[in-house]
Amino acid sequence: MDTDKLTQVEGIIRSLGKVAVAYSGGVDSTLLLYIAHQQSGSDCLAVTADSCLFPHRELLQAKEFCAQHRIDHLIVTHDALAVQGICTNPPDRCYHCKKDLFTRIQALANSRGINHVIDGTNADDTSDYRPGLKALHELGVVSPFMEAGVTKDEIYALSSLYKLPTARKKSFACLATRIPYGEAITIQKLRRIDMAEQFLLDEGLTQVRVRSHGDLARIETDKAGMAALAKEDMRARVHQAFIKMGFSYVSLDLLEYKSGSMNINL
């Protein structure tokens, strides 16, 4: 990362005093939390959502990182499907989700005497359809990486330099992004998607999405994943496992994984 950008990020964080970091356990928020903890020490609070929209493994990894680095860490329960504008899955679903979740994070932070919430949104996040950014702006959430023009590649580079456990972690998005807009989101669908993706991860794939189209599972993965799924025994294991999970059909997308692929028709 450009040292000027890093200096700017550090300066933004220091200028805020006490901060609460919206910490998902992903690549961006882990680096942000690490930097914030370096700059603010005990004035830095990590807040992670316990939500059906995120795999439980993400919560466990977030807890482990905070424990290892002795970072004050709080969990906020987020019943996302009870929030109006989420379970019906409209195109602006992410706006309603972010607005509700970050309102809760802000309230929790304020109860601890913290007036500023920061998040890991980066400069590349403006290149795709992201209605959640509007909610962050409305709530006054500060995004140091975006303000400093820090890109995803630079986040990976700095994560590697700091030897963070997420330095090679693939990008992740909430499970609701696997379901086409307009199709209702249910806890059963989310759990099935989570199980399917975890199965593929356990089989050695690293970049993967299981898009749910009714009873059809459409697997998106990278070149290495496509090569692995080209093997007959692998295909058989995946098919058998997905059928047991409740899918009737299992397909492999012929294009490599691309973030935001469900936004193609917007």
Side-chain angles (χ1 to χ4, degrees):
M1 181 192 295
D2 186 322
T3 55
D4 289 341
K5 289 185 180 182
L6 177 57
T7 298
Q8 187 177 348
V9 169
E10 293 172 338
I12 292 170
I13 293 172
R14 284 197 305 271
S15 71
L16 299 174
K18 293 183 178 181
V19 294
V21 181
Y23 179 47
S24 68
V27 180
D28 303 339
S29 64
T30 296
L31 176 60
L32 182 66
L33 178 59
Y34 180 83
I35 295 172
H37 184 59
Q38 284 185 320
Q39 299 301 311
S40 305
S42 60
D43 284 338
C44 172
L45 171 70
V47 183
T48 302
D50 184 357
S51 170
C52 63
L53 298 182
F54 295 94
H56 190 60
R57 65 176 181 273
E58 299 292 312
L59 177 60
L60 295 179
Q61 290 169 6
K63 287 181 176 180
E64 182 180 2
F65 182 82
C66 289
Q68 289 178 345
H69 292 269
R70 299 181 180 180
I71 298 172
D72 193 8
H73 189 206
L74 295 179
I75 310 298
V76 58
T77 300
H78 189 221
D79 186 6
L81 297 188
V83 178
Q84 186 174 3
I86 295 182
C87 67
T88 54
N89 202 16
D92 65 345
R93 175 201 68 240
C94 189
Y95 168 81
H96 299 286
C97 185
K98 292 283 190 185
K99 191 69 176 284
D100 185 80
L101 174 57
F102 276 80
T103 296
R104 294 172 185 271
I105 292 176
Q106 284 186 329
L108 185 58
N110 292 343
S111 72
R112 299 285 292 264
I114 300 173
N115 297 322
H116 299 286
V117 175
I118 63 177
D119 88 310
T121 302
N122 66 71
D124 290 335
D125 288 331
T126 59
S127 62
D128 191 17
Y129 173 67
R130 295 182 183 268
L133 296 181
K134 179 183 176 183
L136 300 184
H137 177 73
E138 291 176 352
L139 293 171
V141 174
V142 179
S143 303
F145 290 150
M146 179 174 284
E147 289 190 22
V150 179
T151 66
K152 191 74 171 186
D153 286 344
E154 290 172 324
I155 288 172
Y156 271 116
L158 196 54
S159 298
S160 180
L161 180 65
Y162 288 150
K163 294 182 171 52
L164 298 180
T166 50
R168 294 187 177 182
K169 185 175 184 178
K170 299 298 184 180
S171 60
F172 179 81
C174 87
L175 296 172
T177 63
R178 303 347 183 225
I179 302 172
Y181 293 121
E183 182 181 323
I185 300 172
T186 67
I187 191 66
Q188 291 79 14
K189 291 178 183 177
L190 294 172
R191 287 174 177 168
R192 185 169 67 172
I193 293 166
D194 187 17
M195 288 174 57
E197 291 189 350
Q198 187 61 57
F199 179 86
L200 294 175
L201 292 171
D202 291 341
E203 285 288 330
L205 276 67
T206 56
Q207 182 68 81
V208 65
R209 298 286 189 272
V210 175
R211 310 294 187 184
S212 175
H213 302 269
D215 290 333
L216 182 145
R218 176 171 60 87
I219 300 171
E220 292 183 9
T221 186
D222 55 13
K223 287 181 179 179
M226 295 179 80
L229 289 168
K231 299 177 181 178
E232 185 175 354
D233 59 337
M234 176 69 152
R235 293 201 309 274
R237 289 197 303 274
V238 172
H239 183 267
Q240 183 179 37
F242 278 38
I243 294 300
K244 287 183 178 179
M245 293 174 197
F247 289 106
S248 297
Y249 308 96
V250 186
S251 67
L252 174 63
D253 198 299
L254 296 181
L255 297 179
E256 288 184 54
Y257 159 74
K258 181 181 180 181
S259 177
S261 67
M262 296 298 255
N263 299 330
I264 190 171
N265 293 320
L266 291 180

